[in-house]
Amino acid sequence: MIEDVKFMRAALELARQGWDVGEVPVGALVVCGGEIVGHGFNQPISSHDPTAHAEVMALRDASARLGNYRLVGCTLYVTMEPCVMCAGAILHSRVARVVYGAREYKTGAHGSIIDVFSEPRLNYHCEIAGGVLADECAAMISGFFEARRQQKKEAMQ
């Protein structure tokens, strides 16, 4: 879907902002009615807050702007498959749809490790689609960690 690609590119720009301040580059945004109503990027390091993942930041921003913690009818775009914590926040916010880029094989909660989104005992489920600009999203993360390894190597010399 063309709109998914457009919004994932915007999420990648948010991820780049995270990289620029030394955070693992994951970006997220919330879209309602074709309009961006919330955005965020990873900030756990700089904010000293383990819950400050990109998805949570975007959900908080959208909830504040819309004046409601329920984001019914909204779509969350995120460059990386959500973790269990973020999956829980997404489901509690009642987001209608999640679109993510790259798989997260260490902590992913949409099937890479566990599939929270399809747990039948939960009282809410949303539509979820992965793989949008997956290569670009994965390259952002791998590039960040490669640059970090290179900096450490240079510092040791």
Side-chain angles (χ1 to χ4, degrees), residues 31-46:
V31 174
C32 284
E35 191 174 317
I36 297 172
V37 296
H39 63 277
F41 56 83
N42 269 2
Q43 298 177 51
I45 297 167
S46 59

PDB file of all heavy atoms in Angstrom, residues 31-46:
ATOM      1  N   VAL A  31      -1.136   7.352  13.075  1.00  0.00           N
ATOM      2  CA  VAL A  31      -1.884   8.030  12.030  1.00  0.00           C
ATOM      3  C   VAL A  31      -3.374   7.782  12.247  1.00  0.00           C
ATOM      4  O   VAL A  31      -3.799   6.643  12.447  1.00  0.00           O
ATOM      5  CB  VAL A  31      -1.464   7.514  10.634  1.00  0.00           C
ATOM      6  CG1 VAL A  31      -2.334   8.096   9.542  1.00  0.00           C
ATOM      7  CG2 VAL A  31       0.008   7.816  10.380  1.00  0.00           C
ATOM      8  N   CYS A  32      -4.154   8.855  12.228  1.00  0.00           N
ATOM      9  CA  CYS A  32      -5.621   8.778  12.291  1.00  0.00           C
ATOM     10  C   CYS A  32      -6.185   9.619  11.162  1.00  0.00           C
ATOM     11  O   CYS A  32      -5.790  10.776  11.000  1.00  0.00           O
ATOM     12  CB  CYS A  32      -6.139   9.290  13.636  1.00  0.00           C
ATOM     13  SG  CYS A  32      -5.920   8.128  14.984  1.00  0.00           S
ATOM     14  N   GLY A  33      -7.075   9.046  10.395  1.00  0.00           N
ATOM     15  CA  GLY A  33      -7.695   9.793   9.298  1.00  0.00           C
ATOM     16  C   GLY A  33      -6.696  10.333   8.306  1.00  0.00           C
ATOM     17  O   GLY A  33      -6.891  11.413   7.754  1.00  0.00           O
ATOM     18  N   GLY A  34      -5.604   9.601   8.086  1.00  0.00           N
ATOM     19  CA  GLY A  34      -4.590  10.030   7.128  1.00  0.00           C
ATOM     20  C   GLY A  34      -3.651  11.100   7.628  1.00  0.00           C
ATOM     21  O   GLY A  34      -2.806  11.589   6.886  1.00  0.00           O
ATOM     22  N   GLU A  35      -3.767  11.464   8.908  1.00  0.00           N
ATOM     23  CA  GLU A  35      -2.956  12.528   9.490  1.00  0.00           C
ATOM     24  C   GLU A  35      -2.097  11.980  10.633  1.00  0.00           C
ATOM     25  O   GLU A  35      -2.583  11.196  11.457  1.00  0.00           O
ATOM     26  CB  GLU A  35      -3.898  13.597  10.034  1.00  0.00           C
ATOM     27  CG  GLU A  35      -3.239  14.883  10.425  1.00  0.00           C
ATOM     28  CD  GLU A  35      -4.287  15.923  10.825  1.00  0.00           C
ATOM     29  OE1 GLU A  35      -5.308  16.038  10.141  1.00  0.00           O
ATOM     30  OE2 GLU A  35      -4.060  16.608  11.839  1.00  0.00           O
ATOM     31  N   ILE A  36      -0.852  12.410  10.701  1.00  0.00           N
ATOM     32  CA  ILE A  36       0.026  12.001  11.802  1.00  0.00           C
ATOM     33  C   ILE A  36      -0.410  12.745  13.058  1.00  0.00           C
ATOM     34  O   ILE A  36      -0.419  13.971  13.092  1.00  0.00           O
ATOM     35  CB  ILE A  36       1.504  12.295  11.486  1.00  0.00           C
ATOM     36  CG1 ILE A  36       1.963  11.477  10.273  1.00  0.00           C
ATOM     37  CG2 ILE A  36       2.380  11.986  12.713  1.00  0.00           C
ATOM     38  CD1 ILE A  36       3.348  11.823   9.762  1.00  0.00           C
ATOM     39  N   VAL A  37      -0.777  11.973  14.095  1.00  0.00           N
ATOM     40  CA  VAL A  37      -1.235  12.571  15.347  1.00  0.00           C
ATOM     41  C   VAL A  37      -0.290  12.274  16.510  1.00  0.00           C
ATOM     42  O   VAL A  37      -0.482  12.806  17.610  1.00  0.00           O
ATOM     43  CB  VAL A  37      -2.670  12.117  15.702  1.00  0.00           C
ATOM     44  CG1 VAL A  37      -3.662  12.617  14.662  1.00  0.00           C
ATOM     45  CG2 VAL A  37      -2.749  10.611  15.876  1.00  0.00           C
ATOM     46  N   GLY A  38       0.708  11.439  16.272  1.00  0.00           N
ATOM     47  CA  GLY A  38       1.678  11.136  17.328  1.00  0.00           C
ATOM     48  C   GLY A  38       2.955  10.615  16.719  1.00  0.00           C
ATOM     49  O   GLY A  38       2.928   9.961  15.675  1.00  0.00           O
ATOM     50  N   HIS A  39       4.075  10.944  17.335  1.00  0.00           N
ATOM     51  CA  HIS A  39       5.353  10.448  16.831  1.00  0.00           C
ATOM     52  C   HIS A  39       6.306  10.216  17.998  1.00  0.00           C
ATOM     53  O   HIS A  39       6.131  10.774  19.084  1.00  0.00           O
ATOM     54  CB  HIS A  39       5.957  11.414  15.818  1.00  0.00           C
ATOM     55  CG  HIS A  39       6.290  12.752  16.391  1.00  0.00           C
ATOM     56  ND1 HIS A  39       5.360  13.745  16.523  1.00  0.00           N
ATOM     57  CD2 HIS A  39       7.447  13.237  16.896  1.00  0.00           C
ATOM     58  CE1 HIS A  39       5.936  14.804  17.074  1.00  0.00           C
ATOM     59  NE2 HIS A  39       7.193  14.525  17.313  1.00  0.00           N
ATOM     60  N   GLY A  40       7.295   9.384  17.740  1.00  0.00           N
ATOM     61  CA  GLY A  40       8.303   9.121  18.758  1.00  0.00           C
ATOM     62  C   GLY A  40       9.452   8.310  18.202  1.00  0.00           C
ATOM     63  O   GLY A  40       9.350   7.711  17.132  1.00  0.00           O
ATOM     64  N   PHE A  41      10.535   8.335  18.933  1.00  0.00           N
ATOM     65  CA  PHE A  41      11.667   7.468  18.627  1.00  0.00           C
ATOM     66  C   PHE A  41      12.197   6.948  19.953  1.00  0.00           C
ATOM     67  O   PHE A  41      11.825   7.454  21.022  1.00  0.00           O
ATOM     68  CB  PHE A  41      12.749   8.175  17.803  1.00  0.00           C
ATOM     69  CG  PHE A  41      13.286   9.445  18.418  1.00  0.00           C
ATOM     70  CD1 PHE A  41      14.288   9.415  19.373  1.00  0.00           C
ATOM     71  CD2 PHE A  41      12.782  10.679  18.024  1.00  0.00           C
ATOM     72  CE1 PHE A  41      14.789  10.580  19.930  1.00  0.00           C
ATOM     73  CE2 PHE A  41      13.272  11.852  18.571  1.00  0.00           C
ATOM     74  CZ  PHE A  41      14.280  11.798  19.529  1.00  0.00           C
ATOM     75  N   ASN A  42      13.016   5.913  19.891  1.00  0.00           N
ATOM     76  CA  ASN A  42      13.554   5.322  21.115  1.00  0.00           C
ATOM     77  C   ASN A  42      14.250   6.392  21.954  1.00  0.00           C
ATOM     78  O   ASN A  42      15.036   7.182  21.430  1.00  0.00           O
ATOM     79  CB  ASN A  42      14.566   4.224  20.780  1.00  0.00           C
ATOM     80  CG  ASN A  42      13.941   2.861  20.671  1.00  0.00           C
ATOM     81  OD1 ASN A  42      12.738   2.705  20.813  1.00  0.00           O
ATOM     82  ND2 ASN A  42      14.764   1.862  20.413  1.00  0.00           N
ATOM     83  N   GLN A  43      13.972   6.378  23.267  1.00  0.00           N
ATOM     84  CA  GLN A  43      14.596   7.327  24.183  1.00  0.00           C
ATOM     85  C   GLN A  43      14.927   6.734  25.546  1.00  0.00           C
ATOM     86  O   GLN A  43      15.086   7.495  26.504  1.00  0.00           O
ATOM     87  CB  GLN A  43      13.689   8.547  24.366  1.00  0.00           C
ATOM     88  CG  GLN A  43      13.453   9.316  23.087  1.00  0.00           C
ATOM     89  CD  GLN A  43      12.497  10.472  23.289  1.00  0.00           C
ATOM     90  OE1 GLN A  43      12.671  11.277  24.196  1.00  0.00           O
ATOM     91  NE2 GLN A  43      11.492  10.546  22.446  1.00  0.00           N
ATOM     92  N   PRO A  44      15.034   5.415  25.689  1.00  0.00           N
ATOM     93  CA  PRO A  44      15.292   4.882  27.032  1.00  0.00           C
ATOM     94  C   PRO A  44      16.644   5.298  27.610  1.00  0.00           C
ATOM     95  O   PRO A  44      16.756   5.509  28.822  1.00  0.00           O
ATOM     96  CB  PRO A  44      15.191   3.370  26.876  1.00  0.00           C
ATOM     97  CG  PRO A  44      15.306   3.112  25.426  1.00  0.00           C
ATOM     98  CD  PRO A  44      14.848   4.345  24.715  1.00  0.00           C
ATOM     99  N   ILE A  45      17.648   5.463  26.776  1.00  0.00           N
ATOM    100  CA  ILE A  45      18.982   5.820  27.271  1.00  0.00           C
ATOM    101  C   ILE A  45      18.978   7.254  27.782  1.00  0.00           C
ATOM    102  O   ILE A  45      19.345   7.524  28.928  1.00  0.00           O
ATOM    103  CB  ILE A  45      20.048   5.634  26.165  1.00  0.00           C
ATOM    104  CG1 ILE A  45      20.121   4.152  25.746  1.00  0.00           C
ATOM    105  CG2 ILE A  45      21.410   6.117  26.655  1.00  0.00           C
ATOM    106  CD1 ILE A  45      20.911   3.912  24.471  1.00  0.00           C
ATOM    107  N   SER A  46      18.530   8.171  26.946  1.00  0.00           N
ATOM    108  CA  SER A  46      18.584   9.589  27.308  1.00  0.00           C
ATOM    109  C   SER A  46      17.577   9.964  28.395  1.00  0.00           C
ATOM    110  O   SER A  46      17.827  10.875  29.184  1.00  0.00           O
ATOM    111  CB  SER A  46      18.366  10.472  26.077  1.00  0.00           C
ATOM    112  OG  SER A  46      17.113  10.194  25.487  1.00  0.00           O
TER     113      SER A  46
END
